Amino acid sequence: AQSVAQPEDQVNVAEGNPLTVKCTYSVSGNPYLFWYVQYPNRGLQFLLKYITGDNLVKGSYGFEAEFNKSQTSFHLKKPSALVSDSALYFCAVRTPNDYKLSFGAGTTVTVRA
Amino acid sequence: DVKVTQSSRYLVKRTGEKVFLECVQDMDHENMFWYRQDPGLGLRLIYFSYDVKMKEKGDIPEGYSVSREKKERFSLILESASTNQTSMYLCASSPPADRVRTEAFFGQGTRLTVV
């Protein structure tokens, strides 16, 4: 079985400060890891993914994430948050030959001006 | 860009009604999914389909069925809507699991209220 944990329901940061959204996963075998963002009353938008290779992956809107196999983590980061980054963020995992994505419960990010 | 389109943004239905949620994708993806999103629970998989006329149950299939008669279209059916099916429903599509471009693409969601 595979699962994802997002330990923080909410993250609050001031604009211009670094933003980190935490994600840990559990999977049998090599993980494919994803981050999605959801704005109010909208679907999910893909941000970035880790498949293989460099542990630091870069994605849309200045976001990046670091894959840490020993800690089974895939934390999302942005060096300088914007008010427009306020949204709901989801981490997801699957294995290479499985189509089924497992999602975390989501983390609400609020960036104050 | 991939486009996944859900037929309705908002729906209000009465208890006991048969409800159809439609989803169309334009990228010729083999896989299509229906998820349900509830606060604090993330996304839970209801059903998915890996080919025309093929379907498999996800984590919470009870009270739902699906239909995939054409590759681009995947329908979710609530046979007899109940108030506990009030939720946000998200459709997604993706290429086969072993492809390099592996991410799923989501529709804008349908917020269903059953009264």
Side-chain angles (χ1 to χ4, degrees), chain B residues 68-83:
Chain B
R68 193 169 180 197
E69 297 297 319
K70 294 184 178 181
K71 191 175 185 179
E72 68 271 18
R73 187 179 298 270
F74 192 34
S75 303
L76 179 69
I77 303 157
L78 286 66
E79 298 290 344
S80 177
S82 63
T83 55

Side-chain angles (χ1 to χ4, degrees), chain A residues 31-95:
Chain A
Y32 283 5
L33 293 154
F34 305 84
W35 275 102
Y36 287 84
V37 61
Q38 184 181 37
Y39 297 100
N41 295 314
R42 304 299 297 273
L44 274 65
Q45 295 180 27
F46 170 73
L47 276 180
L48 51 79
K49 65 185 177 186
Y50 171 82
I51 303 300
T52 187
D54 194 347
N55 289 344
L56 184 65
V57 294
K58 295 185 183 297
S60 306
Y61 312 120
F63 284 94
E64 59 188 29
E66 185 165 13
F67 171 63
N68 187 317
K69 188 172 183 177
S70 63
Q71 297 186 3
T72 62
S73 67
F74 189 56
H75 301 330
L76 181 70
K77 299 181 181 182
K78 187 171 184 180
S80 179
L82 301 172
V83 172
S84 57
D85 294 328
S86 299
L88 180 57
Y89 291 80
F90 289 99
C91 182
V93 68
R94 69 171 178 87
T95 52

